Amino acid sequence: MENRSFDHILGWLKAMNKDIDGVTGNESNPISTMDENSPKIYFSSDAEFVDPDPGHSFQAIREQIFGSEDTSANPAPMNGFAQQAESMGEGMAKQVMSGFRPEVLPVYSTLASEFAVFDKWFASVPTSTQPNRFYVHSATSHGASSNVRRDLIKGFPQKTIFDSLDESGLSFGIYYQNIPATLFFDQLRRLKHVFKFHKYDLSFKLHAKLGMLPNYVVIEQRYFDVNLFPANDDHPSHDVAEGQKFVKEVYETLRGSPQWDEMMFLITYDEHGGFYDHVPTPVSNVPNPDGVNGPEPFYFEFERLGVRVPTLLISPWIEKGTVIHEPNGPTPDSQFEHSSVPATVKKIFNLKSDFLTKRDAWAGSFESYFYVRDTPRTDCPETLPDPIKSLRPIPINEDKQITEFQEELVLLASQLNGDSVLKSYTDLGKTMTVKQANSYVQDAVARFLEAGRMALNAGANDSAIIQMRPSLTSRKGGSSGPKFSLSS
């Protein structure tokens, strides 16, 4: 899911379970960290619809964590959220210093009480979306400390957990809605993986019902907010009620599958999105994953983590009401963060490959929570509560300009369909509305995967990567199918 902190989403669960490191309402931030007499904003329980999107760039997060550009404080003071938000607009400090009451998010509240919640799971990098998503799948962002346009188009070369699964003869599948962001990894663009990508609406429920889900599954959300299919990723300014409906649907689908007794279902968020969290971000003894530092002007060394994010662990092997705090190793300073996903997958499946980087070798893993019981539970709820009505106070505006995150997905789409080679497409996403971008990315993915299937059927080497010709020129040619070439 996208761009929400633990305190913002789950902090008030502390009222239901005192063991959760949540909020009491006594937490606050000054409007100015430099003024000892500054007014304070206290954390409230009245979060609803969020618009505009709070700041979550590398610079903004540094200010939120440390209150200034000085990053030497340990523990991190977590005192600059209100200050940074107010610099973006009057009244925004109140917005980031608020959380949802448990009854507003009934799907999460039920899952937390029925299964497990991590209250010390951090984003891997104190920056925006894509670098953190990369850590989930590869335990590194390959030096990306922001969303670098050139690298996003070119594709990221690092080894992923998908490669490790493949090497051990295990299956994986990616169920996507608008566009699979996992295609930012260039290895996943190889022909041999074409049939690993599935349209969520067409395949997920069917595969689950038939007991055909692969060993490792990634489910991607709808990232574009359009009238017929509202976004369900929780990214501001999207409606979290849609996110609750989505999680409910996924859970109930898995619960009804004959594979349920063999499942672990993890929900996490890429990063905190600028929303307040009171737990200090770990700022020492965090290993750089691969010796690759970030670009100028910050030259970030990846030696501290991002802000705490909501994370839930669901399985019939998990005891009710479990709260998972800090990990027990593998080092005294290890933490739960996004690299804990590949670390745990390696151990659960006893993968032949080594760890991906120094980061997943260091991160806490959580496989031990599946060995507490001798048998799976039989009392797991078959259905979850219905989400409350929409929190959106105004209709969806699908004609507005896209966000930075959505622009990155358009850039990925332009790579998939070949348009990235056209000079006229340098600033493609900057001119698109949400409706246009949604249509563009879905068409690009469909053409890319169709070309892959055609190439495989023609006997192409399955290690080749599809290189599409620009979509406009191929369409003008009147061809019934996409035009492409292959590279090794």
Side-chain angles (χ1 to χ4, degrees):
M1 305 294 276
E2 284 283 315
N3 289 46
R4 308 279 179 161
S5 73
F6 184 98
D7 280 346
H8 178 65
I9 292 288
L10 301 179
W12 289 103
L13 286 179
K14 185 176 180 67
M16 298 170 56
N17 185 342
K18 299 299 183 185
D19 194 30
I20 295 175
D21 190 351
V23 293
T24 63
N26 294 320
E27 300 80 9
S28 68
N29 258 197
I31 292 293
S32 171
T33 61
M34 304 303 292
D35 179 4
E36 61 182 22
N37 297 314
S38 171
K40 293 181 178 180
I41 303 291
Y42 282 85
F43 196 75
S44 65
S45 61
D46 55 358
E48 290 190 348
F49 186 76
V50 176
D51 191 24
D53 190 15
H56 49 278
S57 65
F58 182 87
Q59 303 96 304
I61 296 172
R62 179 179 59 189
E63 182 177 354
Q64 292 159 8
I65 293 173
F66 296 101
S68 69
E69 295 183 5
D70 182 359
T71 60
S72 62
N74 188 5
M78 312 301 284
N79 63 349
F81 289 86
Q83 172 180 279
Q84 194 283 321
E86 203 69 4
S87 71
M88 296 180 64
E90 186 176 352
M92 283 195 68
K94 177 69 172 63
Q95 179 173 282
V96 303
M97 296 294 295
S98 65
F100 290 96
R101 300 182 307 279
E103 61 267 26
V104 179
L105 304 179
V107 173
Y108 281 172
S109 300
T110 302
L111 289 175
S113 63
E114 288 287 340
F115 300 102
V117 58
F118 289 88
D119 67 357
K120 293 289 189 302
W121 185 295
F122 299 90
S124 297
V125 198
T127 190
S128 48
T129 291
Q130 295 306 341
N132 278 295
R133 282 181 170 264
F134 294 156
Y135 272 81
V136 174
H137 307 303
S138 66
T140 179
S141 62
H142 197 63
S145 57
S146 62
N147 303 316
V148 183
R149 175 188 224 121
R150 181 189 67 254
D151 293 336
L152 290 174
I153 293 176
K154 182 181 176 183
F156 279 73
Q158 65 262 38
K159 184 175 181 176
T160 68
I161 191 62
F162 305 109
D163 298 312
S164 296
L165 288 161
D166 200 38
E167 290 168 2
S168 290
L170 294 164
S171 59
F172 68 85
I174 295 160
Y175 294 80
Y176 69 95
Q177 296 181 66
N178 310 113
I179 181 173
T182 37
L183 282 172
F184 278 122
F185 295 108
D186 59 8
Q187 291 292 327
L188 286 180
R189 300 174 190 172
R190 296 191 180 277
L191 289 178
K192 65 180 181 178
H193 297 314
V194 162
F195 290 103
K196 308 289 179 60
F197 291 90
H198 310 280
K199 284 287 287 183
Y200 172 85
D201 292 338
L202 297 177
S203 301
F204 180 65
K205 288 184 179 180
L206 177 62
H207 289 180
K209 181 179 180 179
L210 296 177
M212 292 174 52
L213 291 174
N215 296 120
Y216 184 69
V217 170
V218 174
I219 303 174
E220 298 209 37
Q221 305 87 348
R222 288 196 298 264
Y223 301 120
F224 294 88
D225 213 19
V226 294
N227 287 322
L228 290 178
F229 300 101
N232 53 21
D233 62 350
D234 278 359
H235 193 299
S237 57
H238 301 158
D239 188 352
V240 297
E242 294 294 334
Q244 291 288 282
K245 291 178 189 176
F246 176 50
V247 172
K248 170 183 166 69
E249 179 178 88
V250 172
Y251 170 82
E252 292 176 359
T253 299
L254 297 177
R255 179 65 180 87
S257 170
Q259 294 171 290
W260 169 248
D261 282 349
E262 304 167 26
M263 284 187 191
M264 166 208 327
F265 174 31
L266 184 80
I267 303 167
T268 192
Y269 283 68
D270 60 338
E271 38 99 356
H272 74 296
F275 294 98
Y276 172 77
D277 198 86
H278 78 278
V279 172
T281 294
V283 296
S284 61
N285 299 318
V286 177
N288 180 302
D290 47 17
V292 182
N293 292 339
E296 61 180 351
F298 304 112
Y299 301 105
F300 184 57
E301 297 181 355
F302 300 92
E303 294 178 331
R304 51 187 172 88
L305 298 180
V307 176
R308 188 176 64 149
V309 293
T311 305
L312 296 163
L313 184 63
I314 296 106
S315 173
W317 295 92
I318 296 291
E319 298 287 2
K320 268 189 175 187
T322 299
V323 181
I324 304 174
H325 304 300
E326 293 90 348
N328 182 21
T331 78
D333 300 300
S334 293
Q335 301 285 346
F336 289 120
E337 51 112 323
H338 295 327
S339 300
S340 296
V341 173
T344 302
V345 170
K346 173 178 169 51
K347 294 178 181 179
I348 286 280
F349 290 114
N350 193 26
L351 299 182
K352 299 174 183 177
S353 303
D354 200 354
F355 288 103
L356 296 169
T357 70
K358 292 180 181 178
R359 184 64 74 84
D360 60 324
W362 168 87
S365 60
F366 46 92
E367 73 283 352
S368 63
Y369 289 91
F370 298 96
Y371 303 126
V372 175
R373 299 178 56 90
D374 294 326
T375 58
R377 287 168 50 192
T378 59
D379 63 344
C380 303
E382 295 183 4
T383 61
L384 297 176
D386 290 324
I388 61 171
K389 65 180 181 179
S390 172
L391 297 176
R392 184 189 301 277
I394 56 176
I396 290 174
N397 179 12
E398 57 184 21
D399 294 319
K400 69 179 181 179
Q401 294 301 114
I402 60 177
T403 65
E404 180 188 26
F405 172 50
Q406 292 167 338
E407 187 179 340
E408 295 153 15
L409 297 176
V410 169
L411 290 173
L412 171 58
S414 73
Q415 168 65 32
L416 298 180
N417 68 13
D419 286 344
S420 60
V421 303
L422 301 177
K423 291 183 179 179
S424 60
Y425 277 78
T426 303
D427 295 316
L428 178 66
K430 296 186 183 301
T431 63
M432 284 188 176
T433 65
V434 173
K435 183 177 181 180
Q436 291 169 337
N438 180 58
S439 177
Y440 178 80
V441 302
Q442 291 195 72
D443 179 68
V445 174
R447 295 182 70 249
F448 177 80
L449 295 178
E450 180 188 357
R453 290 189 288 266
M454 290 171 59
L456 283 174
N457 289 336
N461 187 322
D462 69 1
S463 65
I465 294 178
I466 307 163
Q467 300 287 336
M468 299 291 292
R469 297 179 188 175
S471 60
L472 288 184
T473 55
S474 66
R475 289 169 185 165
K476 287 179 180 178
S479 172
S480 60
K483 295 183 178 180
F484 59 92
S485 59
L486 302 172
S487 64
S488 59

